[in-house]
Amino acid sequence: DAGITQSPRHKVTETGTPVTLRCHQTENHRYMYWYRQDPGHGLRLIHYSYGVKDTDKGEVSDGYSVSRSKTEDFLLTLESATSSQTSVYFCATESDKKALGYNEQFFGPGTRLTVL
Amino acid sequence: KNQVEQSPQSLIILEGKNCTLQCNYTVSPFSNLRWYKQDTGRGPVSLTIMTFSENTKSNGRYTATLDADTKQSSLHITASQLSDSASYICVVSGQAGTALIFGKGTTLSVSS
């Protein structure tokens, strides 16, 4: 978790409300990722960023949007939360300096979101 | 379809015993395979990363093996401790620029 913080850590909200989750890193890593983790599934990629203002969709991007205005911050927004978006959300970062041919991803502590 | 399958789904062992977790994958082309440990309520933490040319790598009491021919990996934990209780996730990286593929994890419980 070192160098990556997520806020809030826990949130309960109602269906139809907008929600923004924040990921902040102090590692100056170029790449940032948002994943969700649900029982019975491996971590699934929602969106990722390969630089300031450069983002792209992942496997499960429907209902989510992201923004990255600074290297250190990556925001995940649920425009209108639904119960199916109840999950644990993890942010991850990755440098662009390959060591031994691969980059390692580092994960934040997670945000537990409950949509009622 | 690129997939990562882990077994068993869960495992209970006594403190001090050894155990082995399995990972089979169908990802092609293959770049590297990672094992992560995830404590309850925390984010995953990397244990080992192995490329195609590596067939074993250790990190303390954790030893990972890789057979790229059969597309299988194992994580062996020696002399287990209560702090080893966690979920262990196998992750495969395919060609550069593609997303990591995560297994569902094996939940290990070490009891005294």
Side-chain angles (χ1 to χ4, degrees):
Chain A
D1 297 0
I4 305 171
T5 57
Q6 294 185 229
S7 59
R9 294 293 314 280
H10 302 271
K11 185 171 183 66
V12 179
T13 191
E14 294 187 348
T15 298
T17 59
V19 176
T20 295
L21 309 183
R22 180 183 184 237
C23 177
H24 178 80
Q25 59 137 334
T26 58
E27 306 296 323
N28 200 35
H29 284 169
R30 177 183 175 185
Y31 299 96
M32 297 186 74
Y33 304 83
W34 277 108
Y35 293 94
R36 61 178 289 173
Q37 186 175 42
D38 304 290
H41 292 272
L43 281 147
R44 291 181 289 176
L45 181 64
I46 304 171
H47 280 280
Y48 64 99
S49 170
Y50 45 95
V52 173
K53 298 190 188 305
D54 291 324
T55 65
D56 208 344
K57 296 178 179 180
E59 175 190 359
V60 290
S61 60
D62 287 348
Y64 302 94
S65 63
V66 291
S67 65
R68 191 168 179 200
S69 59
K70 297 186 290 185
T71 297
E72 57 265 36
D73 290 326
F74 192 31
L75 304 181
L76 176 71
T77 297
L78 292 65
E79 301 291 348
S80 178
T82 67
S83 59
S84 65
Q85 293 175 312
T86 292
S87 187
V88 181
Y89 292 86
F90 287 98
C91 172
T93 70
E94 182 181 306
S95 75
D96 60 354
K97 295 179 175 57
K98 291 189 184 296
L100 302 176
Y102 54 78
N103 289 336
E104 188 172 351
Q105 282 195 13
F106 301 90
F107 287 83
T111 294
R112 181 173 294 277
L113 176 67
T114 302
V115 183
L116 301 176
Chain B
K1 181 181 178 182
N2 290 328
Q3 287 185 312
V4 176
E5 301 287 343
Q6 293 187 242
S7 62
Q9 185 174 356
S10 62
L11 182 62
I12 302 173
I13 62 172
L14 288 175
E15 186 179 15
K17 297 297 186 182
N18 303 335
C19 68
T20 300
L21 313 181
Q22 301 290 342
C23 174
N24 296 335
Y25 62 93
T26 60
V27 179
S28 182
F30 170 85
S31 176
N32 58 75
L33 185 143
R34 312 162 185 222
W35 282 95
Y36 282 86
K37 179 187 180 189
Q38 185 177 20
D39 293 318
T40 301
R42 306 286 298 273
V45 175
S46 179
L47 292 174
T48 65
I49 302 176
M50 290 182 292
T51 62
F52 183 89
S53 60
E54 298 173 292
N55 55 25
T56 186
K57 184 169 277 189
S58 293
N59 178 356
R61 294 180 296 102
Y62 301 99
T63 300
T65 64
L66 172 64
D67 185 334
D69 291 332
T70 62
K71 299 187 176 181
Q72 296 180 324
S73 176
S74 64
L75 180 69
H76 186 75
I77 304 175
T78 303
S80 61
Q81 301 176 358
L82 297 178
S83 60
D84 292 330
S85 295
S87 177
Y88 292 84
I89 303 172
C90 178
V91 185
V92 177
S93 176
Q95 65 186 38
T98 60
L100 298 179
I101 300 167
F102 291 79
K104 296 177 183 179
T106 292
T107 300
L108 174 65
S109 299
V110 180
S111 61
S112 57

